[in-house]
Amino acid sequence: MSKELLDEHPELKTEGTPTLTPRLDICNAAVLELGAAAAHAALGEWGRPVADITHLVYISSTDIRLPGGDLLLATRLGLPPNTVRTSLLLLGCSGGAAGLRTAKDIAENNPGSRVLVIAAETTVLGFRPPSHDRPYDLVSAALFGDGASAAIIGASPIRAEEDPFLELEFSRQEFLPGTDKVIHGKIAEEGSDFKLGRDLPEKIESRIEGFCRTLMDKVGIKEFNDLFWAVHPGGPAILNRLEVCLELEPDKLKISRKALMSYGNVSSNTIFYVLEYLRDELKKGAIREEWGLILAFGPGITFEGMLVRGIN
């Protein structure tokens, strides 16, 4: 959301006005622009021809239309018509990690494939004009942001042409029964009505240790501090709870906190911003651990986790 958009659409400033149509028009255009820009950057860094992309995984919680953003982005990017597309929609903050899991499964089961993952999100659907009755809206406005990200996933990298920094080893998804109202939203004529329960950090804390150990057991790691960590920073409270609950050293969540400070919570995108900082740390040799965990939490409450191996 910006002043320019509010000036162009003054109806968004009025409480109770049916504004779903203009909101969707703004979102649909924005996620294409943002997603295409992120994809061009990732493809340019990758260096191989766009025709080598075999699959597209598209992630968004703010793209609602037919045909979807997956097809429109494939067309805009010049992907081959036989590119196999998968859309992951309305997964919220766990969407990026779910996209990595999906891309990993595709790459492992389709030898030679290269999967372009694109996440694009905006806050326009959930924007509400300031109100003295809802002071917490100011916190949401400060925490959440717009953005896009992209990555290319594949198996058996061509070392002369590709420069991977992570191996995606084992993934896991799990939801907590009875917590479907903790992260809750619906689409209405005034946009999306999104509610985030204040007990979210507590709910995550109740299961996080067992969830992580299930992944760690795959390689026999017992100590949480023997891993590097890439955690979706849903907010400072979640990171603080994880740090205390798992007795993590202060620098273990450094890159997650850095992403939160730099970009805010950009829903499905944010885990990719964390991973970009992780790549920088791995390239510098600043991470001594061989194994790490990617974690994200979304509606459900849904846990997405992946055991990964750093490539220095």
Side-chain angles (χ1 to χ4, degrees):
M1 183 55 71
S2 65
K3 181 179 183 301
E4 289 75 18
L5 276 177
L6 289 174
D7 289 341
E8 186 178 349
H9 299 277
E11 65 273 19
L12 298 179
K13 303 177 186 178
T14 305
E15 188 81 29
T17 305
T19 53
L20 183 58
T21 296
R23 288 173 190 265
L24 287 175
D25 289 343
I26 296 168
C27 290
N28 289 342
V31 292
L32 280 186
E33 292 295 330
L34 293 167
H40 280 304
L43 290 166
E45 188 173 339
W46 181 48
R48 289 178 56 180
V50 68
D52 289 350
I53 295 295
T54 59
H55 295 73
L56 171 64
V57 175
Y58 173 62
I59 311 152
S60 183
S61 293
T62 51
D63 187 340
I64 305 171
R65 60 181 150 187
L66 293 173
D70 60 320
L71 178 69
L72 299 174
L73 279 167
T75 302
R76 179 174 292 205
L77 296 170
L79 299 183
N82 63 344
T83 301
V84 180
R85 310 183 318 275
T86 301
S87 291
L88 301 178
L89 305 177
L90 299 175
L91 298 182
C93 294
S94 62
L100 287 173
R101 171 175 51 77
T102 302
K104 170 185 178 296
D105 291 346
I106 291 171
E108 289 176 339
N109 288 285
N110 295 272
S113 62
R114 290 298 180 267
V115 186
L116 174 60
V117 180
I118 303 174
E121 307 282 10
T122 77
T123 57
V124 174
L125 271 181
F127 171 79
R128 303 175 79 179
S131 170
H132 292 293
D133 297 329
R134 296 190 311 273
Y136 191 73
D137 285 357
L138 295 176
V139 177
S140 297
L143 177 61
F144 293 98
D146 309 320
S149 53
I152 293 145
I153 311 296
S156 303
I158 302 172
R159 291 295 182 173
E161 300 180 11
E162 298 173 306
D163 185 24
F165 71 97
L166 278 183
E167 293 178 357
L168 311 180
E169 298 288 342
F170 302 100
S171 61
R172 180 176 178 84
Q173 183 194 74
E174 183 178 319
F175 73 91
L176 298 183
T179 63
D180 54 297
K181 301 298 184 184
V182 178
I183 305 174
H184 183 257
K186 62 181 180 180
I187 304 296
E189 292 184 354
E190 298 174 37
S192 64
D193 183 14
F194 176 74
K195 291 183 173 58
L196 193 64
R198 295 188 179 184
D199 58 344
L200 175 59
E202 177 185 341
K203 297 293 187 184
I204 292 173
E205 182 182 9
S206 71
R207 177 56 187 143
I208 190 61
E209 181 174 348
F211 181 80
C212 292
R213 289 200 181 280
T214 302
L215 291 165
M216 295 161 61
D217 287 347
K218 297 288 187 179
V219 289
I221 294 177
K222 303 299 182 184
E223 299 297 327
F224 294 117
N225 284 301
D226 290 340
L227 298 162
F228 59 83
W229 293 78
V231 180
H232 168 83
I238 292 175
L239 297 179
N240 293 341
R241 282 286 187 122
L242 288 183
E243 189 172 87
V244 172
C245 174
L246 303 179
E247 298 182 352
L248 297 177
E249 297 168 358
D251 66 336
K252 288 296 181 179
L253 300 181
K254 178 179 68 174
I255 58 174
S256 293
R257 295 187 188 279
K258 184 177 180 180
L260 183 63
M261 290 180 63
S262 299
Y263 303 105
N265 183 345
V266 196
S267 193
S268 63
N269 294 291
T270 319
I271 194 62
F272 292 100
Y273 303 155
V274 175
L275 292 176
E276 186 170 30
Y277 287 135
L278 175 63
R279 179 181 64 173
D280 294 342
E281 295 290 299
L282 287 169
K283 296 297 184 184
K284 291 188 300 186
I287 293 178
R288 65 183 184 275
E289 297 84 6
E290 178 182 8
W291 295 94
L293 287 184
I294 295 173
L295 295 175
F297 315 101
I301 299 168
T302 298
F303 286 50
E304 286 280 355
M306 188 174 292
L307 181 72
V308 298
R309 191 175 193 175
I311 302 174
N312 291 320

